[in-house]
Amino acid sequence: MIFPALIFILVFNYFPMYGVLMAFQDYSLFKGFFGSTWAGFKHFEMFFNSPDFYRVIRNTIVISLLKLVINFPAPILLALMLNEVRNMAFKRIIQTISYLPHFLSWVIVSGFTISILSVDNGSLNISLQALGLIDKPINFLSLPEYFWGIIVTTNLWKEIGFATIVYLAAIAGVNPSLYEAASIDGANKFKQIFLITLPSITPVIIIFLILNIGSLLNAGFDDLLLLGRSAMLRDVADVIDTYAYRVGIINNRFSYAAAVGLFKAIISVGLLTMANYMARRAGSSLW
Amino acid sequence: MKLSSSDKVLQVWIYILLVLLGLATLYPFWNSAVISFNEGLDTAKGGITLWPRVFTIDNYRIVFQNNRIIDAFLISVSRTVVGTLISIFLTAIFAYGLSVKGVIGKKYYMIFAIITMYFSGGLIPFYLLNRELGLMDTFWVMVIPTAVSVWNMIIFRTFFMGLPDGLEESAKIDGASTFGIFFKIVLPLSGPVLATLSLFTAVYHWNDWFTATIFINDAKLYPIQTLLQQIMNSNTMSEQLSIASQGSGAASDALSRMQSVTSKSLTMATMMVATIPIVLVYPFVQRFFVKGVMIGSLKE
């Protein structure tokens, strides 16, 4: 029963690993993997020396750090708030609504974003003008200074509800007698959240934080590709993954793109190993 | 328990924030739906936020008269059904094989599978491989290469290992084969995990636009998300219609009869068509996936 799946894994997961070697070749489609000439570290040097290098690395790190700093704590905050809701029907409605965007494709989400931010009659421009905050519409999606904010916000909108599930479950596991004892001692709700709920779910938070650090170079792909399409945004929207896609698939520079991908993979494995080590110290390992 | 006054203030704030969050989550759906039901030329005048000003279903008429959009919708539906069935079947029997006691080398097969979660050759060799295999420009490229999901396998396996051993043993004594046990005993007991993983796989197939973008040049095979992305990518109505109606004059004929449809209103109506199936199934499966996510986050 396991062999069909093993063959799939061998073909579609293991076979492409020759890409690691492709990065050291001058790969040519006509000569194939065995016929192509070896090129040593040429493609890596080209990447490190190219003007794209600094830009791509900076964007990757800045975007994933922004997502980490803002979008990581947000679901915890939402879970803490939902936990204080006593009206079960209300709680269920809010949860149902907040999960929904997770199930949409990035194509749809970018469609919503483009529509709401559009310069001609997007809802945001209409509202800001109605409130008298701006005189004329702002073209949010072609100005570099807004891009990172837009990416963080759309990701937050899409995933906050779904990421909350795990934290809510962790909170549900907290012993209720702790709250009773605290309230007899005169702790108000705010204090109970900080002194009981948060410390109780800290192990879960730490594990997820470490997992996030392990994938720090995954700044995102679909969102950046779909929303950062405008040429004006290239300076702020290009990350390692989108860059490798563009030079590889669109410009057919296979070996160069493979080298870029390998560079990312090596750093990612390093980060992941470090993250796993930290997780083990924190009491739970990933493998 | 009686609430103190500071607790009441906190409660009120929490309710206000949650209501705002709910509205902010719903608004993009609502706004797009409203625009899709508003006359295109009127929308261009601006100010459409909460209600349609000039109600029309012309935008949807264009969408539903367009063969290309209908085809893309059907491609998405068949891909979702076929892809989910193949993937869940392969992944589930794999997981079951790895959960049965006494399989030789089980541990090594497990490691073999798990390694692929951390190392991959990257997009470029994957692309070249599918090209070599002749999967370019076929329906199967959207279904076959991602059929086995190691992540889902682990979730299945964790669940199967939690089933009582006695059931399988007694079936074995009664002479059932491994496949027999799997189909007659294990699967019927796996309702929740089967439902959750099928849902996630189906959502992946419905939403994936990228696979078709790189592996499929023949626009007839585009799923709805990819077609939608191309429509959104083009700036003018004529560009959009040429993407959406290659080889058929029906759409442009329809358009000449309905001058009021614009590029934005057409995009919005297509977007709604690509969103609605998910919004419709979602309430029915919600109760499953909360449980499913919890199984998934547990480690062995």
Side-chain angles (χ1 to χ4, degrees):
Chain A
M1 295 176 92
I2 56 183
F3 286 103
L6 282 181
I7 292 166
F8 270 74
I9 292 179
L10 186 68
V11 172
F12 291 106
N13 295 99
Y14 277 90
F15 194 66
M17 286 186 196
Y18 72 76
V20 173
L21 296 175
M22 213 172 98
F24 301 97
Q25 287 187 324
D26 277 325
Y27 185 87
S28 145
L29 261 189
F30 307 103
K31 293 181 196 150
F33 176 66
F34 292 104
S36 297
T37 47
W38 294 93
F41 287 92
K42 188 175 100 183
H43 299 290
F44 290 90
E45 278 166 25
M46 263 163 69
F47 177 48
F48 296 147
N49 293 327
S50 80
D52 301 325
F53 182 74
Y54 163 76
R55 197 167 54 91
V56 166
I57 299 291
R58 181 202 61 185
N59 292 342
T60 306
I61 291 175
V62 170
I63 291 172
S64 54
L65 278 181
L66 278 175
K67 283 182 178 173
L68 186 68
V69 170
I70 295 164
N71 294 357
F72 180 75
I76 302 172
L77 197 65
L78 178 58
L80 291 175
M81 291 203 292
L82 280 169
N83 189 48
E84 295 304 320
V85 171
R86 292 286 156 267
N87 181 334
M88 283 304 135
F90 177 78
K91 185 175 171 180
R92 192 161 304 143
I93 291 170
I94 293 294
Q95 279 187 269
T96 304
I97 293 172
S98 69
Y99 298 154
L100 185 51
H102 171 79
F103 294 92
L104 299 183
S105 77
W106 266 110
V107 175
I108 305 278
V109 176
S110 72
F112 285 162
T113 311
I114 291 166
S115 165
I116 284 176
L117 297 181
S118 97
V119 67
D120 42 308
N121 310 315
S123 291
L124 185 61
N125 273 318
I126 295 175
S127 316
L128 288 176
Q129 277 177 302
L131 291 169
L133 293 173
I134 51 173
D135 305 331
K136 53 177 198 261
I138 299 173
N139 196 352
F140 290 103
L141 274 164
S142 63
L143 297 171
E145 58 262 44
Y146 294 110
F147 185 72
W148 289 341
I150 291 168
I151 285 293
V152 169
T153 313
T154 47
N155 273 280
L156 186 67
W157 180 83
K158 192 172 187 303
E159 300 300 341
I160 185 172
F162 203 71
T164 301
I165 295 178
V166 179
Y167 297 114
L168 268 181
I171 292 174
V174 180
N175 186 349
S177 61
L178 289 174
Y179 294 105
E180 277 167 38
S183 77
I184 290 168
D185 287 346
N188 62 15
K189 278 281 167 203
F190 208 69
K191 275 198 164 146
Q192 290 177 28
I193 291 172
F194 270 93
L195 296 175
I196 301 172
T197 316
L198 264 182
S200 303
I201 62 169
T202 304
V204 179
I205 296 176
I206 289 178
I207 291 297
F208 277 84
L209 184 64
I210 290 169
L211 273 171
N212 268 282
I213 291 170
S215 57
L216 199 64
L217 291 192
N218 291 325
F221 187 76
D222 296 47
D223 49 345
L224 296 167
L225 210 57
L226 291 166
L227 288 170
R229 201 186 297 127
S230 152
M232 280 174 279
L233 294 176
R234 189 149 291 173
D235 270 350
V236 287
D238 235 358
V239 296
I240 300 178
D241 285 327
T242 53
Y243 180 69
Y245 162 67
R246 213 181 53 242
V247 294
I249 307 279
I250 297 180
N251 300 338
N252 281 330
R253 294 170 65 192
F254 295 127
S255 283
Y256 181 70
V260 174
L262 182 58
F263 168 75
K264 186 199 153 193
I266 290 169
I267 296 188
S268 290
V269 168
L271 283 170
L272 196 75
T273 316
M274 200 178 79
N276 188 54
Y277 174 75
M278 292 185 337
R280 199 166 279 173
R281 300 274 318 249
S284 172
S285 79
L286 312 176
W287 63 68
Chain B
M1 221 187 297
K2 258 182 80 90
L3 292 175
S4 69
S5 59
S6 72
D7 289 352
K8 276 182 195 151
V9 174
L10 184 68
Q11 283 270 316
V12 171
W13 270 110
I14 286 174
Y15 276 84
I16 292 173
L17 285 173
L18 288 177
V19 168
L20 287 177
L21 180 90
L23 293 177
T25 308
L26 286 181
Y27 182 71
F29 290 89
W30 182 253
N31 182 242
S32 301
V34 165
I35 294 173
S36 76
F37 281 113
N38 199 60
E39 196 180 71
L41 287 177
D42 180 68
T43 304
K45 287 182 207 147
I48 304 294
T49 50
L50 291 174
W51 303 106
R53 195 165 41 211
V54 183
F55 183 87
T56 177
I57 56 164
D58 281 356
N59 304 319
Y60 286 94
R61 259 201 223 134
I62 292 268
V63 167
F64 287 117
Q65 279 175 5
N66 188 314
N67 293 336
R68 192 46 62 76
I69 293 175
I70 304 281
D71 285 351
F73 191 86
L74 294 176
I75 293 268
S76 276
V77 171
S78 31
R79 168 187 179 176
T80 303
V81 173
V82 175
T84 306
L85 285 177
I86 292 181
S87 173
I88 290 294
F89 176 73
L90 272 175
T91 307
I93 59 168
F94 186 36
Y96 183 63
L98 291 177
S99 78
V100 177
K101 286 207 179 69
V103 175
I104 300 155
K106 203 165 69 176
K107 193 183 159 196
Y108 299 101
Y109 296 134
M110 192 73 191
I111 293 171
F112 180 78
I114 288 178
I115 285 176
T116 63
M117 294 172 83
Y118 297 99
F119 299 94
S120 86
L123 182 64
I124 310 297
F126 185 68
Y127 170 80
L128 293 173
L129 170 73
N130 286 321
R131 228 172 118 125
E132 296 282 308
L133 292 176
L135 287 170
M136 291 281 284
D137 272 319
T138 63
F139 174 78
W140 299 105
V141 77
M142 299 185 273
V143 172
I144 295 292
T146 51
V148 174
S149 156
V150 176
W151 179 248
N152 286 353
M153 180 274 282
I154 293 175
I155 298 174
F156 265 131
R157 183 170 168 265
T158 310
F159 184 86
F160 293 154
M161 290 198 307
L163 295 174
D165 292 339
L167 283 173
E168 294 167 41
E169 275 160 28
S170 63
K172 212 173 274 174
I173 292 166
D174 290 345
S177 66
T178 315
F179 261 98
I181 296 172
F182 177 69
F183 283 108
K184 294 207 183 91
I185 296 172
V186 175
L187 273 193
L189 289 172
S190 310
V193 73
L194 212 53
T196 309
L197 295 181
S198 302
L199 166 71
F200 288 153
T201 311
V203 167
Y204 160 77
H205 278 295
W206 183 265
N207 283 341
D208 175 52
W209 60 282
F210 187 68
T211 309
T213 305
I214 59 174
F215 292 117
I216 291 177
N217 297 316
D218 178 3
K220 282 195 188 95
L221 278 171
Y222 279 162
I224 184 94
Q225 307 282 351
T226 310
L227 185 74
L228 175 62
Q229 200 267 327
Q230 305 243 319
I231 290 177
M232 278 163 48
N233 215 345
S234 52
N235 297 315
T236 63
M237 188 75 184
S238 59
E239 258 176 61
Q240 291 185 337
L241 282 172
S242 72
I243 291 168
S245 64
Q246 276 167 22
S248 82
S252 38
D253 286 356
L255 182 74
S256 59
R257 273 181 278 123
M258 285 177 235
Q259 291 296 338
S260 64
V261 176
T262 63
S263 133
K264 182 164 186 172
S265 62
L266 178 78
T267 306
M268 286 300 163
T270 316
M271 243 162 74
M272 282 297 122
V273 173
T275 312
I276 282 160
I278 291 232
V279 177
L280 287 185
V281 264
Y282 170 76
F284 299 101
V285 287
Q286 204 211 136
R287 66 198 176 95
F288 288 117
F289 74 70
V290 175
K291 220 183 283 168
V293 171
M294 293 319 298
I295 302 173
S297 65
L298 292 178
K299 285 180 301 294
E300 292 169 62

